[in-house]
Amino acid sequence: MHRLASPSFLALAVVLGAAGCGPAPEVESPGATPPAVEPVPAAAADTGRVYERTVAFLGTGTDSVFGAPWLLSVRTGGETVRRRGRGWFLRGDVWDPFYDEQWETPPMRAPWRPLPHGPLRMVVGEGDALEQLSFVDGGRRLDLALDASRAEWTGRRGETFRFLDAGLVLAERRVPGIALDLNRTHQPAEGPSGDWVMLVSGDSLHAVLHTPLHDTALEPAVWRGWVHLDFRDLPVSSLTAEWTALRAFDRARREVPVGWTIGSADGTVQAVLEARSSILEAGEGEGPLLPVDGWFEVTGTFEVEGATYPVHGLLRHTQRE
């Protein structure tokens, strides 16, 4: 079952359509699938992995904030491959969870490949490169086009992070921006895959910082990541992340962060961030504290190599019992 666009999402589509500046790019083949993957017997499937593909868009050069993170997750290990696709739309400080659907497919040799389903469409190019994600349902449509790559990094466990030029097309208007394409995997027993944040400062700085596989907690956590600074790539490690401000999230019966400091012990790298808007969901559980899953839009400053940059970004946040 999928959750369709909310009324505010549709109203915005009408407004942008009236101010459109050109036709939306055509999807090469609506509902196109990646190259065919060969089904394999369940017994030959791996013993169980969680694959996470996130494509997070942040608009640049506009008077209003536009964002659109998509999260495609896959879990293997049973008789079927369990898949889930989710999409959120941010305009100003209003978040709309316009898409959420779960489905199953037979075990495959490459289960991590993204697959379209229902209103979720995609265009896949050479080398399985994801070129476009689309939400299409009747007369409602949202396209995210991925263009040239700006920077790419690979982590210690094979996770990949790519910054790309991108455009969000909504009701015939294209909003320019930047997208982070993130791939990572872990075993279910390792728990959630941890928080991360993408930060942008014009064309000068693009950064991604992430925590290793563990539950985010109040005690300091070691983060690492990369900074793309004036056409140079700078790896950063041994960063300590602290929550500097909290607020109550009553539905989960716990507190969530609304302020962060992420930096090195010597102060040469430091991000100071605060939440501008958020969308949070409380999960199910038997304990007094429920899981939390959501997104923050953040603003703040990023200091590196003696210079301080104003930054804007998206922060992925989870908490578990």
Side-chain angles (χ1 to χ4, degrees), residues 121-166:
R121 315 287 180 86
M122 56 187 61
V123 174
V124 178
E126 295 183 3
D128 291 347
L130 186 60
E131 297 180 351
Q132 183 165 309
L133 281 171
S134 300
F135 171 83
V136 182
D137 187 79
R140 295 162 292 198
R141 179 166 186 156
L142 175 69
D143 296 306
L144 175 59
L146 304 177
D147 300 322
S149 177
R150 291 199 177 201
E152 182 174 351
W153 306 286
T154 301
R156 298 180 180 180
R157 301 185 57 163
E159 62 269 33
T160 62
F161 308 83
R162 295 180 65 206
F163 273 109
L164 307 101
D165 291 323

Side-chain angles (χ1 to χ4, degrees), residues 175-192:
V175 178
I178 194 83
L180 176 68
D181 187 353
L182 181 156
N183 279 276
R184 55 186 178 175
T185 180
H186 64 275
Q187 295 179 346
E190 292 178 304

Side-chain angles (χ1 to χ4, degrees), residues 249-254 280-285 290-294:
F249 181 41
D250 293 337
R251 291 197 300 275
R253 300 188 289 273
R254 67 163 83 217
L280 300 172
E281 297 179 358
E284 298 180 354
L290 299 180
V292 176
D293 181 291

Side-chain angles (χ1 to χ4, degrees), residues 12 16 21-22 25 57-68 89-91 142-145 147 165-179:
L12 177 61
L16 293 183
C21 57
F57 170 86
L58 188 65
T60 58
T62 60
D63 295 332
S64 299
V65 173
F66 288 89
F89 178 72
L90 168 66
R91 199 270 188 181
L142 175 69
D143 296 306
L144 175 59
D147 300 322
D165 291 323
L168 186 71
V169 181
L170 180 67
E172 300 184 352
R173 175 181 174 182
R174 180 183 172 101
V175 178
I178 194 83

Side-chain angles (χ1 to χ4, degrees), residues 55-120:
V55 182
F57 170 86
L58 188 65
T60 58
T62 60
D63 295 332
S64 299
V65 173
F66 288 89
W70 303 71
L71 178 57
L72 309 175
S73 58
V74 177
R75 181 163 179 170
T76 66
E79 295 183 355
T80 61
V81 176
R82 286 166 286 175
R83 300 178 179 272
R84 186 179 185 185
R86 285 182 282 175
W88 299 262
F89 178 72
L90 168 66
R91 199 270 188 181
D93 58 357
V94 177
W95 288 83
D96 284 324
F98 64 88
Y99 175 69
D100 188 349
E101 187 164 5
Q102 301 182 57
W103 71 100
E104 297 182 354
T105 59
M108 298 176 177
R109 297 190 186 281
W112 56 86
R113 289 179 176 172
L115 297 178
H117 185 77
L120 174 64

